[in-house]
Coordinates of all heavy atoms in Angstrom, one line a residue:
M1036 N -10.2 -11.7 0.1 CA -9.4 -10.8 -0.8 C -10.3 -9.7 -1.3 O -11.5 -9.9 -1.6 CB -8.9 -11.6 -2.0 CG -8.1 -10.8 -3.0 SD -7.3 -11.8 -4.2 CE -6.4 -13.0 -3.3
P1037 N -9.8 -8.5 -1.3 CA -10.7 -7.3 -1.8 C -11.0 -7.6 -3.3 O -10.3 -8.2 -4.0 CB -9.7 -6.1 -1.7 CG -8.6 -6.5 -0.9 CD -8.5 -8.0 -0.9
S1038 N -12.2 -7.1 -3.7 CA -12.5 -7.2 -5.1 C -11.6 -6.2 -5.9 O -11.0 -5.3 -5.3 CB -14.0 -6.8 -5.3 OG -14.2 -5.4 -5.1
D1039 N -11.5 -6.5 -7.2 CA -10.7 -5.6 -8.1 C -11.2 -4.1 -8.0 O -10.4 -3.2 -8.2 CB -10.7 -6.1 -9.5 CG -9.7 -7.2 -9.7 OD1 -9.0 -7.5 -8.8 OD2 -9.6 -7.7 -10.9
S1040 N -12.5 -3.9 -7.6 CA -13.0 -2.6 -7.5 C -12.9 -1.9 -6.2 O -13.2 -0.7 -6.1 CB -14.5 -2.6 -8.0 OG -15.3 -3.3 -7.1
A1041 N -12.4 -2.6 -5.2 CA -12.2 -2.0 -3.9 C -11.1 -0.9 -4.0 O -10.1 -1.1 -4.6 CB -11.7 -3.1 -2.9
V1042 N -11.4 0.2 -3.3 CA -10.6 1.4 -3.5 C -9.6 1.5 -2.3 O -10.1 1.5 -1.1 CB -11.4 2.7 -3.6 CG1 -10.5 3.9 -3.6 CG2 -12.3 2.7 -4.8
I1043 N -8.3 1.6 -2.5 CA -7.3 1.7 -1.5 C -6.8 3.1 -1.4 O -6.5 3.6 -2.5 CB -6.2 0.7 -1.7 CG1 -6.7 -0.8 -1.6 CG2 -5.1 0.9 -0.7 CD1 -7.1 -1.3 -2.9
T1044 N -6.8 3.6 -0.3 CA -6.3 5.0 -0.1 C -5.4 5.1 1.1 O -5.6 4.5 2.2 CB -7.6 5.9 0.2 OG1 -8.5 5.7 -0.8 CG2 -7.2 7.4 0.3
R1045 N -4.4 5.9 1.0 CA -3.5 6.2 2.2 C -4.3 7.0 3.2 O -5.1 7.8 2.8 CB -2.3 7.0 1.8 CG -1.3 6.3 1.0 CD -0.1 7.2 0.9 NE 0.8 6.9 -0.2 CZ 1.6 7.7 -0.8 NH1 1.7 9.0 -0.4 NH2 2.4 7.3 -1.8
T1046 N -4.1 6.8 4.5 CA -4.7 7.5 5.5 C -4.1 9.0 5.4 O -2.9 9.1 5.4 CB -4.5 6.9 6.8 OG1 -5.0 5.6 6.8 CG2 -5.2 7.7 7.9
P1047 N -4.9 10.0 5.5 CA -4.3 11.4 5.4 C -3.4 11.7 6.6 O -3.5 11.1 7.7 CB -5.6 12.3 5.4 CG -6.7 11.4 5.2 CD -6.3 10.0 5.6
D1048 N -2.5 12.6 6.3 CA -1.7 13.1 7.4 C -0.7 12.2 7.9 O -0.4 12.2 9.2 CB -2.5 13.8 8.5 CG -3.4 14.9 8.0 OD1 -3.0 15.6 7.1 OD2 -4.5 15.0 8.5
Q1049 N -0.2 11.2 7.1 CA 0.8 10.3 7.5 C 2.1 10.8 6.8 O 2.3 10.4 5.7 CB 0.5 8.9 7.2 CG -0.8 8.3 7.7 CD -0.7 8.2 9.2 OE1 0.3 7.9 9.9 NE2 -1.9 8.4 9.8
P1050 N 3.0 11.5 7.5 CA 4.2 11.9 6.9 C 5.1 10.7 6.4 O 5.1 9.7 7.1 CB 5.0 12.7 7.9 CG 4.0 13.0 9.0 CD 2.9 11.9 8.9
W1051 N 5.7 10.8 5.3 CA 6.5 9.7 4.8 C 7.6 10.3 3.9 O 7.6 11.4 3.5 CB 5.7 8.7 4.0 CG 5.0 9.3 2.7 CD1 3.9 10.0 2.7 CD2 5.5 9.2 1.4 NE1 3.6 10.3 1.4 CE2 4.7 9.8 0.6 CE3 6.7 8.6 0.9 CZ2 4.8 9.9 -0.8 CZ3 6.8 8.7 -0.5 CH2 6.0 9.3 -1.3
C1052 N 8.6 9.5 3.7 CA 9.8 9.9 2.9 C 10.3 8.7 2.1 O 10.4 7.6 2.6 CB 10.9 10.4 3.9 SG 12.3 10.9 3.0
D1053 N 10.5 9.0 0.8 CA 11.1 8.0 -0.1 C 12.6 8.1 0.0 O 13.2 9.1 -0.4 CB 10.6 8.2 -1.5 CG 11.0 7.1 -2.5 OD1 11.8 6.1 -2.0 OD2 10.7 7.2 -3.7
L1054 N 13.3 7.1 0.5 CA 14.7 7.1 0.6 C 15.4 6.3 -0.5 O 16.6 6.0 -0.4 CB 15.1 6.5 2.0 CG 14.6 7.3 3.2 CD1 14.9 6.6 4.5 CD2 15.1 8.7 3.2
G1055 N 14.7 6.0 -1.6 CA 15.3 5.3 -2.7 C 15.0 3.8 -2.6 O 14.2 3.3 -3.3
A1056 N 15.7 3.2 -1.7 CA 15.5 1.7 -1.5 C 14.4 1.4 -0.6 O 13.9 0.2 -0.5 CB 16.8 1.1 -1.0
E1057 N 13.9 2.3 0.1 CA 12.8 2.1 1.1 C 12.0 3.4 1.3 O 12.4 4.5 1.0 CB 13.3 1.7 2.4 CG 14.1 2.7 3.1 CD 14.7 2.1 4.4 OE1 14.7 1.0 4.7 OE2 15.3 3.0 5.2
V1058 N 10.8 3.2 1.7 CA 9.9 4.3 2.2 C 9.7 4.2 3.7 O 9.6 3.1 4.2 CB 8.5 4.2 1.5 CG1 7.5 5.1 2.1 CG2 8.6 4.5 0.0
V1059 N 9.8 5.4 4.4 CA 9.6 5.4 5.8 C 8.4 6.2 6.1 O 8.2 7.4 5.5 CB 10.8 6.0 6.5 CG1 10.6 6.1 8.0 CG2 12.1 5.2 6.2
V1060 N 7.5 5.6 6.8 CA 6.2 6.3 7.1 C 6.1 6.5 8.6 O 6.4 5.6 9.4 CB 5.0 5.4 6.7 CG1 3.7 6.1 7.0 CG2 5.1 5.1 5.2
L1061 N 5.7 7.7 9.0 CA 5.5 8.0 10.5 C 4.0 8.0 10.8 O 3.2 8.7 10.2 CB 6.0 9.4 10.8 CG 5.6 10.0 12.2 CD1 6.3 9.1 13.3 CD2 6.1 11.4 12.3
R1062 N 3.6 7.1 11.7 CA 2.2 7.0 12.2 C 2.1 8.0 13.3 O 2.7 7.9 14.4 CB 1.9 5.6 12.7 CG 0.4 5.5 13.0 CD -0.1 4.1 13.3 NE 0.7 3.6 14.5 CZ 0.5 2.4 14.9 NH1 -0.2 1.5 14.3 NH2 1.2 2.0 16.0
I1063 N 1.4 9.1 13.0 CA 1.3 10.3 13.9 C 0.8 9.9 15.3 O 1.3 10.4 16.3 CB 0.4 11.4 13.3 CG1 1.1 11.9 12.1 CG2 0.1 12.5 14.3 CD1 2.3 12.7 12.3
R1064 N -0.2 9.1 15.4 CA -0.9 8.8 16.7 C 0.0 8.3 17.8 O -0.2 8.6 18.9 CB -2.1 7.9 16.5 CG -1.8 6.5 16.3 CD -3.0 5.6 16.2 NE -2.7 4.3 16.0 CZ -3.4 3.4 15.3 NH1 -4.5 3.8 14.7 NH2 -2.9 2.2 15.1
D1065 N 1.1 7.6 17.4 CA 2.0 7.2 18.4 C 3.5 7.3 18.1 O 4.4 6.8 18.7 CB 1.7 5.7 18.8 CG 1.9 4.8 17.5 OD1 2.2 5.3 16.5 OD2 1.6 3.6 17.7
S1066 N 3.7 8.1 17.0 CA 5.1 8.4 16.5 C 5.9 7.2 16.2 O 7.1 7.1 16.4 CB 5.9 9.2 17.6 OG 5.2 10.5 17.8
A1067 N 5.2 6.1 15.7 CA 5.9 4.9 15.3 C 6.3 5.1 13.8 O 5.5 5.6 13.0 CB 4.9 3.7 15.5
Y1068 N 7.4 4.5 13.5 CA 7.9 4.5 12.1 C 7.8 3.1 11.5 O 8.0 2.2 12.2 CB 9.5 5.0 12.1 CG 9.6 6.4 12.3 CD1 9.9 6.9 13.5 CD2 9.6 7.3 11.2 CE1 10.2 8.3 13.8 CE2 9.8 8.6 11.4 CZ 10.1 9.1 12.7 OH 10.3 10.4 12.9
Y1069 N 7.5 3.1 10.2 CA 7.4 1.9 9.5 C 8.2 2.0 8.2 O 8.2 3.0 7.5 CB 5.9 1.5 9.2 CG 5.2 1.3 10.4 CD1 4.4 2.4 11.0 CD2 5.2 0.1 11.1 CE1 3.8 2.2 12.2 CE2 4.5 -0.1 12.3 CZ 3.8 1.0 12.8 OH 3.1 0.8 14.0
R1070 N 9.0 1.0 7.9 CA 9.8 0.9 6.7 C 9.3 -0.1 5.7 O 9.0 -1.2 6.1 CB 11.2 0.5 7.0 CG 12.0 1.5 7.9 CD 13.4 1.0 8.2 NE 13.9 0.0 7.3 CZ 14.8 -0.8 7.5 NH1 15.4 -0.8 8.7 NH2 15.2 -1.7 6.7
F1071 N 9.1 0.4 4.5 CA 8.6 -0.5 3.4 C 9.7 -0.6 2.4 O 10.1 0.4 1.8 CB 7.3 0.0 2.8 CG 6.2 0.2 3.8 CD1 5.4 1.3 3.7 CD2 6.0 -0.7 4.8 CE1 4.4 1.5 4.6 CE2 4.9 -0.5 5.7 CZ 4.1 0.6 5.6
E1072 N 10.2 -1.8 2.1 CA 11.2 -2.0 1.1 C 10.5 -2.8 -0.1 O 9.5 -3.3 0.1 CB 12.3 -2.8 1.7 CG 13.0 -2.1 2.8 CD 14.1 -2.9 3.5 OE1 14.0 -4.2 3.5 OE2 15.0 -2.4 4.1
A1073 N 11.2 -2.8 -1.2 CA 10.9 -3.6 -2.4 C 9.4 -3.4 -2.8 O 9.0 -2.3 -3.0 CB 11.2 -5.1 -2.1
S1074 N 8.6 -4.5 -2.8 CA 7.3 -4.4 -3.2 C 6.4 -3.5 -2.3 O 5.5 -2.8 -2.8 CB 6.6 -5.8 -3.4 OG 6.7 -6.5 -2.2
G1075 N 6.7 -3.5 -1.0 CA 5.9 -2.6 -0.1 C 6.2 -1.2 -0.4 O 5.2 -0.4 -0.4
R1076 N 7.4 -0.8 -0.8 CA 7.7 0.5 -1.3 C 6.9 0.8 -2.6 O 6.3 1.9 -2.7 CB 9.2 0.7 -1.5 CG 9.6 2.0 -2.1 CD 11.1 2.1 -2.5 NE 11.4 3.3 -3.1 CZ 11.3 3.5 -4.4 NH1 11.0 2.6 -5.2 NH2 11.6 4.7 -4.9
S1077 N 6.9 -0.1 -3.5 CA 6.1 0.0 -4.7 C 4.6 0.3 -4.5 O 4.1 1.2 -5.1 CB 6.4 -1.2 -5.6 OG 7.7 -1.3 -6.0
V1078 N 4.1 -0.5 -3.6 CA 2.6 -0.3 -3.3 C 2.4 1.1 -2.7 O 1.5 1.8 -3.2 CB 2.1 -1.4 -2.3 CG1 0.8 -1.1 -1.8 CG2 2.2 -2.8 -2.9
W1079 N 3.3 1.5 -1.8 CA 3.1 2.8 -1.2 C 3.1 3.9 -2.2 O 2.3 4.8 -2.2 CB 4.1 3.0 0.0 CG 3.8 4.2 0.7 CD1 4.4 5.5 0.6 CD2 2.8 4.4 1.8 NE1 3.9 6.4 1.5 CE2 2.9 5.7 2.2 CE3 2.0 3.5 2.4 CZ2 2.1 6.2 3.3 CZ3 1.1 4.0 3.4 CH2 1.3 5.3 3.9
L1080 N 4.1 3.8 -3.1 CA 4.3 4.8 -4.1 C 3.1 4.8 -5.1 O 2.6 5.9 -5.5 CB 5.6 4.7 -4.8 CG 6.8 4.9 -4.0 CD1 8.1 4.6 -4.8 CD2 6.9 6.3 -3.4
L1081 N 2.6 3.7 -5.4 CA 1.4 3.6 -6.3 C 0.2 4.2 -5.7 O -0.7 4.7 -6.4 CB 1.1 2.1 -6.7 CG 2.0 1.6 -7.8 CD1 1.8 0.0 -7.9 CD2 1.8 2.2 -9.2
L1082 N 0.2 4.2 -4.3 CA -1.0 4.8 -3.7 C -0.9 6.3 -3.4 O -1.6 6.9 -2.6 CB -1.2 4.1 -2.3 CG -1.6 2.6 -2.4 CD1 -1.7 2.0 -1.0 CD2 -3.0 2.5 -3.1
E1083 N 0.0 7.0 -4.2 CA 0.0 8.4 -4.2 C -1.4 9.0 -4.5 O -1.7 10.0 -3.9 CB 1.0 8.9 -5.3 CG 1.2 10.4 -5.3 CD 1.9 11.0 -4.1 OE1 2.7 10.3 -3.5 OE2 1.6 12.1 -3.7
Q1084 N -2.1 8.3 -5.3 CA -3.5 8.6 -5.6 C -4.3 7.3 -5.2 O -3.8 6.3 -5.4 CB -3.8 8.9 -7.0 CG -3.0 10.2 -7.5 CD -3.5 11.4 -6.8 OE1 -4.6 11.6 -6.6 NE2 -2.6 12.3 -6.5
P1085 N -5.5 7.5 -4.7 CA -6.3 6.3 -4.5 C -6.4 5.4 -5.7 O -6.5 6.0 -6.8 CB -7.7 6.9 -4.1 CG -7.4 8.3 -3.6 CD -6.3 8.8 -4.4
R1086 N -6.4 4.1 -5.5 CA -6.5 3.2 -6.6 C -7.3 2.0 -6.3 O -7.5 1.7 -5.1 CB -5.1 2.6 -7.0 CG -4.1 3.6 -7.5 CD -2.9 2.9 -8.0 NE -1.8 3.9 -8.4 CZ -1.7 4.4 -9.6 NH1 -2.6 4.1 -10.6 NH2 -0.8 5.3 -9.9
T1087 N -7.9 1.4 -7.3 CA -8.6 0.2 -7.0 C -7.6 -1.0 -6.8 O -6.4 -0.8 -7.2 CB -9.6 -0.2 -8.1 OG1 -8.8 -0.5 -9.3 CG2 -10.6 0.9 -8.4
F1088 N -8.1 -2.0 -6.2 CA -7.2 -3.2 -5.9 C -6.7 -3.7 -7.3 O -5.5 -4.0 -7.5 CB -7.9 -4.2 -5.2 CG -7.0 -5.4 -4.8 CD1 -6.1 -5.3 -3.7 CD2 -7.2 -6.7 -5.4 CE1 -5.3 -6.3 -3.4 CE2 -6.4 -7.7 -5.0 CZ -5.5 -7.6 -4.0
G1089 N -7.5 -3.7 -8.3 CA -7.2 -4.2 -9.6 C -6.1 -3.3 -10.2 O -5.1 -3.8 -10.8
E1090 N -6.3 -2.0 -10.1 CA -5.3 -1.0 -10.6 C -3.9 -1.2 -9.9 O -2.8 -1.1 -10.6 CB -5.7 0.4 -10.5 CG -6.9 0.8 -11.3 CD -7.5 2.1 -11.0 OE1 -7.4 2.6 -9.9 OE2 -8.2 2.7 -11.9
L1091 N -4.0 -1.4 -8.6 CA -2.8 -1.6 -7.8 C -2.0 -2.9 -8.3 O -0.8 -2.8 -8.6 CB -3.1 -1.8 -6.4 CG -2.0 -1.7 -5.4 CD1 -1.1 -0.4 -5.5 CD2 -2.5 -1.8 -4.0
I1092 N -2.7 -4.0 -8.5 CA -2.1 -5.2 -9.0 C -1.6 -5.0 -10.5 O -0.4 -5.4 -10.8 CB -3.1 -6.4 -9.0 CG1 -3.6 -6.6 -7.5 CG2 -2.4 -7.7 -9.6 CD1 -2.5 -6.9 -6.5
D1093 N -2.3 -4.3 -11.3 CA -1.9 -4.0 -12.7 C -0.6 -3.2 -12.7 O 0.4 -3.5 -13.4 CB -2.9 -3.3 -13.5 CG -4.1 -4.2 -13.8 OD1 -4.0 -5.5 -13.7 OD2 -5.2 -3.7 -14.1
G1094 N -0.5 -2.2 -11.8 CA 0.6 -1.3 -11.6 C 1.9 -2.1 -11.2 O 3.0 -2.0 -11.7
L1095 N 1.7 -3.0 -10.3 CA 2.8 -3.8 -9.8 C 3.2 -4.9 -10.8 O 4.4 -5.2 -10.8 CB 2.4 -4.6 -8.5 CG 2.2 -3.7 -7.3 CD1 1.6 -4.4 -6.1 CD2 3.5 -3.1 -6.8
S1096 N 2.3 -5.4 -11.6 CA 2.7 -6.3 -12.6 C 3.6 -5.8 -13.7 O 4.4 -6.5 -14.4 CB 1.4 -6.9 -13.3 OG 0.8 -6.0 -14.1
H1097 N 3.6 -4.4 -13.8 CA 4.6 -3.8 -14.7 C 6.0 -3.8 -14.2 O 7.0 -3.6 -14.9 CB 4.2 -2.4 -15.0 CG 2.9 -2.3 -15.9 ND1 2.8 -2.7 -17.2 CD2 1.7 -1.8 -15.5 CE1 1.6 -2.5 -17.6 NE2 0.9 -2.0 -16.6
E1098 N 6.1 -3.9 -12.8 CA 7.4 -3.8 -12.2 C 7.9 -5.2 -11.8 O 9.1 -5.4 -11.7 CB 7.3 -3.0 -10.9 CG 8.6 -2.6 -10.3 CD 8.4 -1.5 -9.2 OE1 7.3 -0.9 -9.1 OE2 9.4 -1.4 -8.5
Y1099 N 7.0 -6.1 -11.5 CA 7.4 -7.4 -11.0 C 6.8 -8.6 -11.8 O 5.7 -8.4 -12.2 CB 6.9 -7.6 -9.5 CG 7.5 -6.6 -8.5 CD1 6.8 -5.5 -8.2 CD2 8.8 -6.8 -8.0 CE1 7.3 -4.6 -7.3 CE2 9.3 -5.9 -7.1 CZ 8.6 -4.8 -6.8 OH 9.1 -3.8 -5.9
A1100 N 7.6 -9.6 -12.1 CA 7.1 -10.8 -12.7 C 6.4 -11.7 -11.7 O 6.7 -11.7 -10.6 CB 8.3 -11.5 -13.4
G1101 N 5.4 -12.4 -12.2 CA 4.8 -13.4 -11.4 C 3.3 -13.5 -11.7 O 2.7 -12.8 -12.5
E1102 N 2.7 -14.5 -11.2 CA 1.2 -14.8 -11.3 C 0.5 -13.7 -10.7 O 0.7 -13.3 -9.5 CB 0.9 -16.1 -10.7 CG 1.6 -17.3 -11.4 CD 0.9 -17.6 -12.7 OE1 -0.3 -17.4 -12.9 OE2 1.6 -18.1 -13.6
R1103 N -0.5 -13.2 -11.4 CA -1.4 -12.2 -10.8 C -2.1 -12.7 -9.5 O -2.2 -11.9 -8.6 CB -2.5 -11.8 -11.9 CG -3.4 -10.7 -11.4 CD -4.5 -10.4 -12.4 NE -5.5 -9.5 -11.9 CZ -5.4 -8.2 -11.8 NH1 -4.3 -7.6 -12.2 NH2 -6.4 -7.5 -11.3
S1104 N -2.5 -13.9 -9.5 CA -3.1 -14.4 -8.3 C -2.2 -14.5 -7.0 O -2.6 -14.1 -5.9 CB -3.7 -15.8 -8.5 OG -2.7 -16.7 -8.9
T1105 N -0.9 -14.8 -7.3 CA 0.0 -14.8 -6.2 C 0.3 -13.4 -5.7 O 0.4 -13.1 -4.5 CB 1.3 -15.5 -6.7 OG1 1.0 -16.8 -7.1 CG2 2.4 -15.5 -5.6
M1106 N 0.4 -12.5 -6.7 CA 0.7 -11.1 -6.4 C -0.5 -10.5 -5.6 O -0.3 -9.8 -4.6 CB 0.9 -10.3 -7.7 CG 1.5 -9.0 -7.5 SD 1.8 -8.1 -9.1 CE 3.0 -9.2 -9.8
A1107 N -1.7 -10.9 -5.9 CA -2.9 -10.4 -5.3 C -2.9 -10.8 -3.8 O -3.2 -10.0 -2.9 CB -4.1 -10.8 -6.0
V1108 N -2.6 -12.1 -3.6 CA -2.5 -12.6 -2.2 C -1.5 -11.9 -1.4 O -1.7 -11.5 -0.2 CB -2.3 -14.1 -2.2 CG1 -1.9 -14.6 -0.8 CG2 -3.4 -14.9 -2.8
E1109 N -0.3 -11.7 -1.9 CA 0.8 -11.0 -1.2 C 0.4 -9.5 -0.9 O 0.7 -9.0 0.2 CB 2.1 -11.1 -2.0 CG 2.6 -12.5 -2.0 CD 3.9 -12.7 -2.8 OE1 4.3 -11.7 -3.5 OE2 4.3 -13.9 -2.9
V1110 N -0.2 -8.8 -1.9 CA -0.6 -7.5 -1.7 C -1.7 -7.4 -0.7 O -1.8 -6.5 0.1 CB -1.0 -6.8 -3.1 CG1 -1.6 -5.4 -2.9 CG2 0.3 -6.7 -4.0
E1111 N -2.6 -8.3 -0.7 CA -3.7 -8.3 0.2 C -3.1 -8.4 1.7 O -3.6 -7.7 2.6 CB -4.7 -9.5 0.0 CG -5.7 -9.6 1.1 CD -6.6 -10.8 1.0 OE1 -6.2 -11.8 0.4 OE2 -7.7 -10.8 1.5
D1112 N -2.1 -9.3 1.9 CA -1.5 -9.4 3.2 C -0.9 -8.1 3.6 O -1.0 -7.7 4.7 CB -0.5 -10.5 3.1 CG 0.2 -10.8 4.5 OD1 -0.6 -11.0 5.5 OD2 1.5 -10.8 4.5
F1113 N -0.2 -7.4 2.7 CA 0.5 -6.1 3.0 C -0.6 -5.1 3.3 O -0.5 -4.4 4.3 CB 1.3 -5.7 1.8 CG 1.9 -4.4 2.0 CD1 3.1 -4.2 2.8 CD2 1.4 -3.2 1.4 CE1 3.6 -2.9 3.0 CE2 2.0 -2.0 1.5 CZ 3.1 -1.9 2.4
L1114 N -1.7 -5.0 2.6 CA -2.7 -4.1 2.8 C -3.5 -4.4 4.1 O -3.8 -3.4 4.8 CB -3.7 -4.0 1.7 CG -3.2 -3.5 0.3 CD1 -4.3 -3.7 -0.7 CD2 -2.8 -2.1 0.5
T1115 N -3.6 -5.6 4.5 CA -4.3 -5.9 5.7 C -3.4 -5.4 6.9 O -3.9 -4.8 7.9 CB -4.5 -7.4 5.9 OG1 -5.3 -7.9 4.9 CG2 -5.0 -7.8 7.2
K1116 N -2.1 -5.6 6.8 CA -1.2 -5.1 7.9 C -1.3 -3.5 7.9 O -1.4 -3.0 9.0 CB 0.2 -5.6 7.6 CG 0.4 -7.0 7.9 CD 1.8 -7.5 7.5 CE 1.8 -9.1 7.7 NZ 3.0 -9.6 7.1
C1117 N -1.3 -2.9 6.8 CA -1.3 -1.4 6.7 C -2.6 -0.9 7.2 O -2.7 0.1 7.9 CB -1.0 -0.9 5.3 SG 0.7 -1.1 4.8
T1118 N -3.7 -1.6 6.9 CA -5.0 -1.2 7.4 C -5.1 -1.4 9.0 O -5.6 -0.5 9.7 CB -6.1 -2.1 6.8 OG1 -6.1 -1.9 5.4 CG2 -7.5 -1.7 7.3
D1119 N -4.6 -2.5 9.5 CA -4.5 -2.7 10.9 C -3.7 -1.6 11.6 O -4.0 -1.2 12.7 CB -3.9 -4.1 11.2 CG -4.9 -5.2 10.9 OD1 -6.1 -5.0 10.6 OD2 -4.4 -6.4 10.8
L1120 N -2.7 -1.1 11.0 CA -1.9 0.0 11.5 C -2.4 1.3 11.3 O -2.0 2.3 11.9 CB -0.5 -0.1 10.8 CG 0.4 -1.3 11.2 CD1 1.6 -1.3 10.3 CD2 0.8 -1.2 12.7
G1121 N -3.5 1.4 10.5 CA -4.2 2.7 10.3 C -3.5 3.5 9.2 O -3.7 4.7 9.2
L1122 N -2.7 2.9 8.4 CA -2.0 3.6 7.4 C -2.7 3.7 6.0 O -2.4 4.6 5.2 CB -0.6 3.0 7.1 CG 0.3 2.9 8.3 CD1 1.6 2.2 8.0 CD2 0.6 4.3 8.9
V1123 N -3.6 2.8 5.8 CA -4.4 2.8 4.6 C -5.8 2.4 4.9 O -6.1 1.8 6.0 CB -3.9 1.9 3.4 CG1 -2.5 2.3 3.0 CG2 -4.0 0.4 3.8
T1124 N -6.8 2.7 4.0 CA -8.1 2.3 4.1 C -8.5 1.5 2.8 O -8.0 1.8 1.7 CB -9.2 3.4 4.3 OG1 -9.1 4.3 3.2 CG2 -8.9 4.1 5.6
V1125 N -9.3 0.5 2.9 CA -9.8 -0.3 1.8 C -11.3 -0.2 1.9 O -11.9 -0.6 2.9 CB -9.4 -1.7 1.9 CG1 -9.9 -2.5 0.7 CG2 -7.8 -1.9 1.9
A1126 N -11.9 0.3 0.8 CA -13.4 0.5 0.8 C -13.9 -0.1 -0.5 O -13.4 0.1 -1.6 CB -13.7 2.0 0.8
A1127 N -15.0 -0.9 -0.3 CA -15.7 -1.5 -1.5 C -16.5 -0.5 -2.1 O -17.2 0.4 -1.5 CB -16.5 -2.7 -1.1
L1128 N -16.5 -0.4 -3.5 CA -17.4 0.5 -4.2 C -18.8 -0.1 -4.1 O -19.0 -1.3 -4.2 CB -17.0 0.6 -5.6 CG -15.7 1.4 -5.9 CD1 -15.4 1.4 -7.4 CD2 -15.8 2.8 -5.4
D1129 N -19.8 0.8 -4.0 CA -21.2 0.3 -4.1 C -21.5 -0.2 -5.5 O -21.1 0.3 -6.5 CB -22.2 1.5 -3.7 CG -22.0 1.9 -2.3 OD1 -21.7 1.1 -1.5 OD2 -22.3 3.1 -2.0
A1130 N -22.3 -1.3 -5.5 CA -22.7 -1.9 -6.8 C -23.7 -1.1 -7.5 O -24.5 -0.3 -7.0 CB -23.2 -3.3 -6.6

C-alpha cells in the first residue's frame, strides 16, 4: 500500500470528459477508452491536482462512508490498475 505521503498524479495529456455519472478517459498511445463510475470517478476528479495518498483517502471519506483502512485498500487497487494502464503515477516522497 502506498504511504500516506506518496504523491498521485494523472499522466499528462490524457483527454477525459466528466459525463456526470461517469468519467471517460482516452489513453492516447492506443486510443483506448476507460470509464470510471462511482468511486473511480471521484478519485479521478480529486486528482485534478496531484495529491498524496492520505489526501486522496481524506477527500473520499467526505463523500463515502466506511472504514479508512478498507477505503485505502480499494483505492490502492484502483490506482494500481490506473498505473498499469499508464493513466496515473504514484511517487514516494523522499524522507
Side-chain angles (χ1 to χ4, degrees):
M1036 179 169 312
S1038 71
D1039 276 357
S1040 63
V1042 177
I1043 295 91
T1044 307
R1045 289 186 200 159
T1046 304
D1048 302 323
Q1049 302 296 327
W1051 64 277
C1052 182
D1053 184 3
L1054 300 175
E1057 65 184 10
V1058 166
V1059 177
V1060 180
L1061 170 63
R1062 186 171 62 183
I1063 294 294
R1064 72 177 180 214
D1065 61 1
S1066 299
Y1068 284 94
Y1069 298 92
R1070 293 179 22 202
F1071 304 139
E1072 301 174 330
S1074 58
R1076 176 185 176 270
S1077 296
V1078 168
W1079 189 261
L1080 294 178
L1081 283 169
L1082 291 175
E1083 182 69 29
Q1084 298 296 321
R1086 294 189 187 270
T1087 65
F1088 187 71
E1090 290 170 337
L1091 190 56
I1092 300 303
D1093 290 344
L1095 291 170
S1096 68
H1097 293 293
E1098 190 171 348
Y1099 299 97
E1102 294 285 328
R1103 181 180 171 84
S1104 59
T1105 302
M1106 194 177 299
V1108 169
E1109 291 174 1
V1110 170
E1111 177 188 19
D1112 182 52
F1113 177 77
L1114 291 175
T1115 298
K1116 291 174 185 172
C1117 286
T1118 300
D1119 291 347
L1120 292 169
L1122 301 177
V1123 301
T1124 60
V1125 178
L1128 291 177
D1129 292 332

